[in-house]
PDB file of all heavy atoms in Angstrom:
ATOM      1  N   ASP A 112     126.947 112.318 102.460  1.00  0.00           N
ATOM      2  CA  ASP A 112     127.228 112.011 103.863  1.00  0.00           C
ATOM      3  C   ASP A 112     125.979 111.974 104.726  1.00  0.00           C
ATOM      4  O   ASP A 112     125.873 111.171 105.648  1.00  0.00           O
ATOM      5  CB  ASP A 112     128.193 113.054 104.433  1.00  0.00           C
ATOM      6  CG  ASP A 112     129.439 113.170 103.583  1.00  0.00           C
ATOM      7  OD1 ASP A 112     130.095 112.149 103.366  1.00  0.00           O
ATOM      8  OD2 ASP A 112     129.741 114.277 103.119  1.00  0.00           O
ATOM      9  N   VAL A 113     125.060 112.870 104.455  1.00  0.00           N
ATOM     10  CA  VAL A 113     123.857 113.003 105.269  1.00  0.00           C
ATOM     11  C   VAL A 113     122.686 113.262 104.336  1.00  0.00           C
ATOM     12  O   VAL A 113     122.836 113.930 103.311  1.00  0.00           O
ATOM     13  CB  VAL A 113     123.979 114.186 106.259  1.00  0.00           C
ATOM     14  CG1 VAL A 113     122.782 114.234 107.193  1.00  0.00           C
ATOM     15  CG2 VAL A 113     125.264 114.089 107.076  1.00  0.00           C
ATOM     16  N   ALA A 114     121.522 112.736 104.663  1.00  0.00           N
ATOM     17  CA  ALA A 114     120.309 113.015 103.893  1.00  0.00           C
ATOM     18  C   ALA A 114     119.257 113.601 104.820  1.00  0.00           C
ATOM     19  O   ALA A 114     118.895 112.988 105.821  1.00  0.00           O
ATOM     20  CB  ALA A 114     119.785 111.744 103.231  1.00  0.00           C
ATOM     21  N   TRP A 115     118.815 114.796 104.513  1.00  0.00           N
ATOM     22  CA  TRP A 115     117.747 115.443 105.266  1.00  0.00           C
ATOM     23  C   TRP A 115     116.561 115.667 104.344  1.00  0.00           C
ATOM     24  O   TRP A 115     116.716 116.194 103.244  1.00  0.00           O
ATOM     25  CB  TRP A 115     118.200 116.809 105.808  1.00  0.00           C
ATOM     26  CG  TRP A 115     119.320 116.742 106.786  1.00  0.00           C
ATOM     27  CD1 TRP A 115     119.522 115.810 107.756  1.00  0.00           C
ATOM     28  CD2 TRP A 115     120.402 117.666 106.888  1.00  0.00           C
ATOM     29  NE1 TRP A 115     120.660 116.088 108.464  1.00  0.00           N
ATOM     30  CE2 TRP A 115     121.224 117.231 107.953  1.00  0.00           C
ATOM     31  CE3 TRP A 115     120.771 118.825 106.209  1.00  0.00           C
ATOM     32  CZ2 TRP A 115     122.373 117.899 108.341  1.00  0.00           C
ATOM     33  CZ3 TRP A 115     121.910 119.491 106.587  1.00  0.00           C
ATOM     34  CH2 TRP A 115     122.698 119.044 107.648  1.00  0.00           C
ATOM     35  N   ASP A 116     115.384 115.274 104.769  1.00  0.00           N
ATOM     36  CA  ASP A 116     114.171 115.571 104.014  1.00  0.00           C
ATOM     37  C   ASP A 116     113.759 117.001 104.359  1.00  0.00           C
ATOM     38  O   ASP A 116     113.067 117.241 105.339  1.00  0.00           O
ATOM     39  CB  ASP A 116     113.059 114.582 104.379  1.00  0.00           C
ATOM     40  CG  ASP A 116     111.809 114.785 103.527  1.00  0.00           C
ATOM     41  OD1 ASP A 116     111.782 115.765 102.752  1.00  0.00           O
ATOM     42  OD2 ASP A 116     110.871 113.987 103.650  1.00  0.00           O
ATOM     43  N   VAL A 117     114.228 117.951 103.545  1.00  0.00           N
ATOM     44  CA  VAL A 117     114.033 119.362 103.881  1.00  0.00           C
ATOM     45  C   VAL A 117     112.568 119.764 103.830  1.00  0.00           C
ATOM     46  O   VAL A 117     112.177 120.781 104.411  1.00  0.00           O
ATOM     47  CB  VAL A 117     114.857 120.275 102.939  1.00  0.00           C
ATOM     48  CG1 VAL A 117     116.337 120.074 103.167  1.00  0.00           C
ATOM     49  CG2 VAL A 117     114.497 120.022 101.487  1.00  0.00           C
ATOM     50  N   ASN A 118     111.746 118.989 103.144  1.00  0.00           N
ATOM     51  CA  ASN A 118     110.326 119.322 103.086  1.00  0.00           C
ATOM     52  C   ASN A 118     109.595 118.962 104.378  1.00  0.00           C
ATOM     53  O   ASN A 118     108.454 119.353 104.580  1.00  0.00           O
ATOM     54  CB  ASN A 118     109.668 118.595 101.910  1.00  0.00           C
ATOM     55  CG  ASN A 118     110.256 119.032 100.577  1.00  0.00           C
ATOM     56  OD1 ASN A 118     110.318 120.216 100.288  1.00  0.00           O
ATOM     57  ND2 ASN A 118     110.706 118.076  99.788  1.00  0.00           N
ATOM     58  N   SER A 119     110.262 118.206 105.251  1.00  0.00           N
ATOM     59  CA  SER A 119     109.624 117.778 106.501  1.00  0.00           C
ATOM     60  C   SER A 119     110.375 118.286 107.729  1.00  0.00           C
ATOM     61  O   SER A 119     110.168 117.778 108.835  1.00  0.00           O
ATOM     62  CB  SER A 119     109.548 116.243 106.549  1.00  0.00           C
ATOM     63  OG  SER A 119     108.848 115.736 105.435  1.00  0.00           O
ATOM     64  N   LEU A 120     111.255 119.269 107.537  1.00  0.00           N
ATOM     65  CA  LEU A 120     112.029 119.757 108.672  1.00  0.00           C
ATOM     66  C   LEU A 120     111.139 120.478 109.683  1.00  0.00           C
ATOM     67  O   LEU A 120     110.233 121.224 109.297  1.00  0.00           O
ATOM     68  CB  LEU A 120     113.113 120.727 108.198  1.00  0.00           C
ATOM     69  CG  LEU A 120     114.354 120.115 107.547  1.00  0.00           C
ATOM     70  CD1 LEU A 120     115.281 121.223 107.083  1.00  0.00           C
ATOM     71  CD2 LEU A 120     115.082 119.214 108.520  1.00  0.00           C
ATOM     72  N   PRO A 121     111.376 120.285 110.993  1.00  0.00           N
ATOM     73  CA  PRO A 121     110.668 121.062 112.019  1.00  0.00           C
ATOM     74  C   PRO A 121     111.232 122.485 112.057  1.00  0.00           C
ATOM     75  O   PRO A 121     112.197 122.781 112.776  1.00  0.00           O
ATOM     76  CB  PRO A 121     110.990 120.288 113.305  1.00  0.00           C
ATOM     77  CG  PRO A 121     112.276 119.577 113.019  1.00  0.00           C
ATOM     78  CD  PRO A 121     112.278 119.286 111.552  1.00  0.00           C
ATOM     79  N   VAL A 122     110.659 123.364 111.238  1.00  0.00           N
ATOM     80  CA  VAL A 122     111.228 124.696 111.012  1.00  0.00           C
ATOM     81  C   VAL A 122     111.361 125.494 112.306  1.00  0.00           C
ATOM     82  O   VAL A 122     112.381 126.154 112.548  1.00  0.00           O
ATOM     83  CB  VAL A 122     110.375 125.471 109.980  1.00  0.00           C
ATOM     84  CG1 VAL A 122     110.920 126.882 109.809  1.00  0.00           C
ATOM     85  CG2 VAL A 122     110.375 124.732 108.650  1.00  0.00           C
ATOM     86  N   ASN A 123     110.346 125.451 113.168  1.00  0.00           N
ATOM     87  CA  ASN A 123     110.424 126.230 114.401  1.00  0.00           C
ATOM     88  C   ASN A 123     111.589 125.795 115.274  1.00  0.00           C
ATOM     89  O   ASN A 123     112.296 126.626 115.862  1.00  0.00           O
ATOM     90  CB  ASN A 123     109.107 126.109 115.178  1.00  0.00           C
ATOM     91  CG  ASN A 123     107.962 126.809 114.475  1.00  0.00           C
ATOM     92  OD1 ASN A 123     108.179 127.729 113.683  1.00  0.00           O
ATOM     93  ND2 ASN A 123     106.737 126.378 114.745  1.00  0.00           N
ATOM     94  N   GLN A 124     111.785 124.478 115.367  1.00  0.00           N
ATOM     95  CA  GLN A 124     112.898 123.971 116.162  1.00  0.00           C
ATOM     96  C   GLN A 124     114.231 124.408 115.556  1.00  0.00           C
ATOM     97  O   GLN A 124     115.145 124.835 116.268  1.00  0.00           O
ATOM     98  CB  GLN A 124     112.831 122.446 116.247  1.00  0.00           C
ATOM     99  CG  GLN A 124     113.951 121.826 117.078  1.00  0.00           C
ATOM    100  CD  GLN A 124     113.940 120.306 117.010  1.00  0.00           C
ATOM    101  OE1 GLN A 124     113.112 119.719 116.335  1.00  0.00           O
ATOM    102  NE2 GLN A 124     114.884 119.678 117.698  1.00  0.00           N
ATOM    103  N   LEU A 125     114.343 124.307 114.237  1.00  0.00           N
ATOM    104  CA  LEU A 125     115.569 124.713 113.572  1.00  0.00           C
ATOM    105  C   LEU A 125     115.808 126.210 113.755  1.00  0.00           C
ATOM    106  O   LEU A 125     116.942 126.645 113.981  1.00  0.00           O
ATOM    107  CB  LEU A 125     115.490 124.369 112.087  1.00  0.00           C
ATOM    108  CG  LEU A 125     116.722 124.714 111.244  1.00  0.00           C
ATOM    109  CD1 LEU A 125     117.962 124.015 111.788  1.00  0.00           C
ATOM    110  CD2 LEU A 125     116.506 124.321 109.787  1.00  0.00           C
ATOM    111  N   PHE A 126     114.737 126.996 113.690  1.00  0.00           N
ATOM    112  CA  PHE A 126     114.852 128.439 113.899  1.00  0.00           C
ATOM    113  C   PHE A 126     115.465 128.735 115.258  1.00  0.00           C
ATOM    114  O   PHE A 126     116.363 129.567 115.399  1.00  0.00           O
ATOM    115  CB  PHE A 126     113.462 129.073 113.809  1.00  0.00           C
ATOM    116  CG  PHE A 126     113.367 130.159 112.781  1.00  0.00           C
ATOM    117  CD1 PHE A 126     113.049 129.852 111.462  1.00  0.00           C
ATOM    118  CD2 PHE A 126     113.620 131.478 113.110  1.00  0.00           C
ATOM    119  CE1 PHE A 126     112.959 130.846 110.512  1.00  0.00           C
ATOM    120  CE2 PHE A 126     113.523 132.469 112.166  1.00  0.00           C
ATOM    121  CZ  PHE A 126     113.203 132.169 110.853  1.00  0.00           C
ATOM    122  N   ASN A 127     114.977 128.046 116.295  1.00  0.00           N
ATOM    123  CA  ASN A 127     115.483 128.271 117.656  1.00  0.00           C
ATOM    124  C   ASN A 127     116.952 127.887 117.772  1.00  0.00           C
ATOM    125  O   ASN A 127     117.745 128.572 118.427  1.00  0.00           O
ATOM    126  CB  ASN A 127     114.653 127.483 118.659  1.00  0.00           C
ATOM    127  CG  ASN A 127     113.231 128.013 118.775  1.00  0.00           C
ATOM    128  OD1 ASN A 127     112.974 129.182 118.497  1.00  0.00           O
ATOM    129  ND2 ASN A 127     112.305 127.148 119.151  1.00  0.00           N
ATOM    130  N   LEU A 128     117.326 126.767 117.144  1.00  0.00           N
ATOM    131  CA  LEU A 128     118.722 126.338 117.187  1.00  0.00           C
ATOM    132  C   LEU A 128     119.623 127.343 116.471  1.00  0.00           C
ATOM    133  O   LEU A 128     120.722 127.667 116.941  1.00  0.00           O
ATOM    134  CB  LEU A 128     118.859 124.955 116.553  1.00  0.00           C
ATOM    135  CG  LEU A 128     118.238 123.791 117.329  1.00  0.00           C
ATOM    136  CD1 LEU A 128     118.248 122.522 116.476  1.00  0.00           C
ATOM    137  CD2 LEU A 128     118.984 123.549 118.632  1.00  0.00           C
ATOM    138  N   LEU A 129     119.154 127.848 115.323  1.00  0.00           N
ATOM    139  CA  LEU A 129     119.954 128.824 114.591  1.00  0.00           C
ATOM    140  C   LEU A 129     120.068 130.126 115.351  1.00  0.00           C
ATOM    141  O   LEU A 129     121.095 130.812 115.297  1.00  0.00           O
ATOM    142  CB  LEU A 129     119.341 129.062 113.207  1.00  0.00           C
ATOM    143  CG  LEU A 129     119.413 127.870 112.237  1.00  0.00           C
ATOM    144  CD1 LEU A 129     118.665 128.195 110.955  1.00  0.00           C
ATOM    145  CD2 LEU A 129     120.855 127.504 111.930  1.00  0.00           C
ATOM    146  N   ASP A 130     119.019 130.495 116.077  1.00  0.00           N
ATOM    147  CA  ASP A 130     119.086 131.704 116.907  1.00  0.00           C
ATOM    148  C   ASP A 130     120.196 131.595 117.940  1.00  0.00           C
ATOM    149  O   ASP A 130     120.877 132.574 118.258  1.00  0.00           O
ATOM    150  CB  ASP A 130     117.747 131.943 117.608  1.00  0.00           C
ATOM    151  CG  ASP A 130     116.729 132.599 116.683  1.00  0.00           C
ATOM    152  OD1 ASP A 130     117.156 133.232 115.693  1.00  0.00           O
ATOM    153  OD2 ASP A 130     115.523 132.468 116.935  1.00  0.00           O
ATOM    154  N   SER A 131     120.375 130.384 118.487  1.00  0.00           N
ATOM    155  CA  SER A 131     121.435 130.206 119.475  1.00  0.00           C
ATOM    156  C   SER A 131     122.809 130.362 118.832  1.00  0.00           C
ATOM    157  O   SER A 131     123.752 130.833 119.470  1.00  0.00           O
ATOM    158  CB  SER A 131     121.314 128.832 120.145  1.00  0.00           C
ATOM    159  OG  SER A 131     121.608 127.788 119.236  1.00  0.00           O
ATOM    160  N   LEU A 132     122.923 129.983 117.553  1.00  0.00           N
ATOM    161  CA  LEU A 132     124.171 130.203 116.846  1.00  0.00           C
ATOM    162  C   LEU A 132     124.426 131.697 116.645  1.00  0.00           C
ATOM    163  O   LEU A 132     125.547 132.175 116.759  1.00  0.00           O
ATOM    164  CB  LEU A 132     124.138 129.529 115.473  1.00  0.00           C
ATOM    165  CG  LEU A 132     124.343 128.015 115.416  1.00  0.00           C
ATOM    166  CD1 LEU A 132     124.278 127.547 113.975  1.00  0.00           C
ATOM    167  CD2 LEU A 132     125.659 127.614 116.030  1.00  0.00           C
ATOM    168  N   CYS A 133     123.368 132.421 116.361  1.00  0.00           N
ATOM    169  CA  CYS A 133     123.505 133.851 116.094  1.00  0.00           C
ATOM    170  C   CYS A 133     123.909 134.636 117.333  1.00  0.00           C
ATOM    171  O   CYS A 133     124.367 135.763 117.236  1.00  0.00           O
ATOM    172  CB  CYS A 133     122.193 134.412 115.541  1.00  0.00           C
ATOM    173  SG  CYS A 133     121.747 133.734 113.930  1.00  0.00           S
ATOM    174  N   SER A 134     123.719 134.037 118.495  1.00  0.00           N
ATOM    175  CA  SER A 134     124.081 134.729 119.733  1.00  0.00           C
ATOM    176  C   SER A 134     125.575 134.681 119.999  1.00  0.00           C
ATOM    177  O   SER A 134     126.081 135.372 120.869  1.00  0.00           O
ATOM    178  CB  SER A 134     123.337 134.117 120.924  1.00  0.00           C
ATOM    179  OG  SER A 134     123.755 132.774 121.129  1.00  0.00           O
ATOM    180  N   THR A 135     126.314 133.849 119.235  1.00  0.00           N
ATOM    181  CA  THR A 135     127.760 133.786 119.403  1.00  0.00           C
ATOM    182  C   THR A 135     128.406 134.952 118.686  1.00  0.00           C
ATOM    183  O   THR A 135     127.793 135.617 117.849  1.00  0.00           O
ATOM    184  CB  THR A 135     128.318 132.465 118.846  1.00  0.00           C
ATOM    185  OG1 THR A 135     128.121 132.446 117.428  1.00  0.00           O
ATOM    186  CG2 THR A 135     127.606 131.278 119.468  1.00  0.00           C
ATOM    187  N   ASP A 136     129.672 135.214 119.014  1.00  0.00           N
ATOM    188  CA  ASP A 136     130.350 136.371 118.430  1.00  0.00           C
ATOM    189  C   ASP A 136     131.314 135.990 117.317  1.00  0.00           C
ATOM    190  O   ASP A 136     132.187 136.761 116.948  1.00  0.00           O
ATOM    191  CB  ASP A 136     131.112 137.147 119.517  1.00  0.00           C
ATOM    192  CG  ASP A 136     132.150 136.272 120.216  1.00  0.00           C
ATOM    193  OD1 ASP A 136     132.298 135.102 119.839  1.00  0.00           O
ATOM    194  OD2 ASP A 136     132.822 136.788 121.136  1.00  0.00           O
ATOM    195  N   HIS A 137     131.131 134.783 116.755  1.00  0.00           N
ATOM    196  CA  HIS A 137     132.024 134.364 115.680  1.00  0.00           C
ATOM    197  C   HIS A 137     131.533 134.930 114.349  1.00  0.00           C
ATOM    198  O   HIS A 137     130.365 134.825 114.012  1.00  0.00           O
ATOM    199  CB  HIS A 137     132.069 132.838 115.581  1.00  0.00           C
ATOM    200  CG  HIS A 137     133.002 132.359 114.509  1.00  0.00           C
ATOM    201  ND1 HIS A 137     134.352 132.234 114.710  1.00  0.00           N
ATOM    202  CD2 HIS A 137     132.769 132.001 113.219  1.00  0.00           C
ATOM    203  CE1 HIS A 137     134.915 131.797 113.596  1.00  0.00           C
ATOM    204  NE2 HIS A 137     133.969 131.652 112.682  1.00  0.00           N
ATOM    205  N   HIS A 138     132.437 135.529 113.620  1.00  0.00           N
ATOM    206  CA  HIS A 138     132.094 136.102 112.314  1.00  0.00           C
ATOM    207  C   HIS A 138     133.161 135.736 111.300  1.00  0.00           C
ATOM    208  O   HIS A 138     134.322 135.467 111.644  1.00  0.00           O
ATOM    209  CB  HIS A 138     131.972 137.633 112.393  1.00  0.00           C
ATOM    210  CG  HIS A 138     130.806 138.086 113.224  1.00  0.00           C
ATOM    211  ND1 HIS A 138     129.541 138.259 112.721  1.00  0.00           N
ATOM    212  CD2 HIS A 138     130.728 138.360 114.554  1.00  0.00           C
ATOM    213  CE1 HIS A 138     128.716 138.646 113.693  1.00  0.00           C
ATOM    214  NE2 HIS A 138     129.417 138.714 114.806  1.00  0.00           N
ATOM    215  N   ILE A 139     132.772 135.760 110.036  1.00  0.00           N
ATOM    216  CA  ILE A 139     133.725 135.500 108.955  1.00  0.00           C
ATOM    217  C   ILE A 139     134.737 136.632 108.883  1.00  0.00           C
ATOM    218  O   ILE A 139     134.406 137.797 109.048  1.00  0.00           O
ATOM    219  CB  ILE A 139     132.984 135.415 107.611  1.00  0.00           C
ATOM    220  CG1 ILE A 139     132.105 134.175 107.586  1.00  0.00           C
ATOM    221  CG2 ILE A 139     133.950 135.383 106.442  1.00  0.00           C
ATOM    222  CD1 ILE A 139     131.250 134.099 106.359  1.00  0.00           C
ATOM    223  N   THR A 140     135.977 136.269 108.620  1.00  0.00           N
ATOM    224  CA  THR A 140     136.995 137.273 108.335  1.00  0.00           C
ATOM    225  C   THR A 140     137.487 137.056 106.916  1.00  0.00           C
ATOM    226  O   THR A 140     137.390 135.972 106.365  1.00  0.00           O
ATOM    227  CB  THR A 140     138.190 137.147 109.299  1.00  0.00           C
ATOM    228  OG1 THR A 140     138.828 135.882 109.070  1.00  0.00           O
ATOM    229  CG2 THR A 140     137.741 137.218 110.748  1.00  0.00           C
ATOM    230  N   SER A 141     138.043 138.104 106.332  1.00  0.00           N
ATOM    231  CA  SER A 141     138.510 137.975 104.950  1.00  0.00           C
ATOM    232  C   SER A 141     139.612 136.939 104.843  1.00  0.00           C
ATOM    233  O   SER A 141     139.731 136.249 103.836  1.00  0.00           O
ATOM    234  CB  SER A 141     139.013 139.335 104.444  1.00  0.00           C
ATOM    235  OG  SER A 141     140.067 139.803 105.280  1.00  0.00           O
ATOM    236  N   SER A 142     140.438 136.798 105.884  1.00  0.00           N
ATOM    237  CA  SER A 142     141.523 135.821 105.821  1.00  0.00           C
ATOM    238  C   SER A 142     140.982 134.405 105.765  1.00  0.00           C
ATOM    239  O   SER A 142     141.559 133.534 105.122  1.00  0.00           O
ATOM    240  CB  SER A 142     142.450 135.976 107.034  1.00  0.00           C
ATOM    241  OG  SER A 142     141.736 135.742 108.235  1.00  0.00           O
ATOM    242  N   GLN A 143     139.855 134.173 106.445  1.00  0.00           N
ATOM    243  CA  GLN A 143     139.269 132.837 106.404  1.00  0.00           C
ATOM    244  C   GLN A 143     138.772 132.504 105.007  1.00  0.00           C
ATOM    245  O   GLN A 143     138.953 131.400 104.521  1.00  0.00           O
ATOM    246  CB  GLN A 143     138.106 132.733 107.396  1.00  0.00           C
ATOM    247  CG  GLN A 143     138.564 132.647 108.848  1.00  0.00           C
ATOM    248  CD  GLN A 143     137.389 132.695 109.785  1.00  0.00           C
ATOM    249  OE1 GLN A 143     136.444 133.443 109.562  1.00  0.00           O
ATOM    250  NE2 GLN A 143     137.445 131.925 110.846  1.00  0.00           N
TER     251      GLN A 143
END
Side-chain angles (χ1 to χ4, degrees):
D112 306 305
V113 186
W115 297 322
D116 185 354
V117 294
N118 297 308
S119 303
L120 283 177
V122 177
N123 291 336
Q124 181 186 1
L125 181 58
F126 236 88
N127 292 335
L128 291 171
L129 292 175
D130 280 338
S131 69
L132 283 180
C133 295
S134 65
T135 66
D136 59 2
H137 181 83
H138 293 273
I139 292 174
T140 64
S141 59
S142 61
Q143 286 174 320

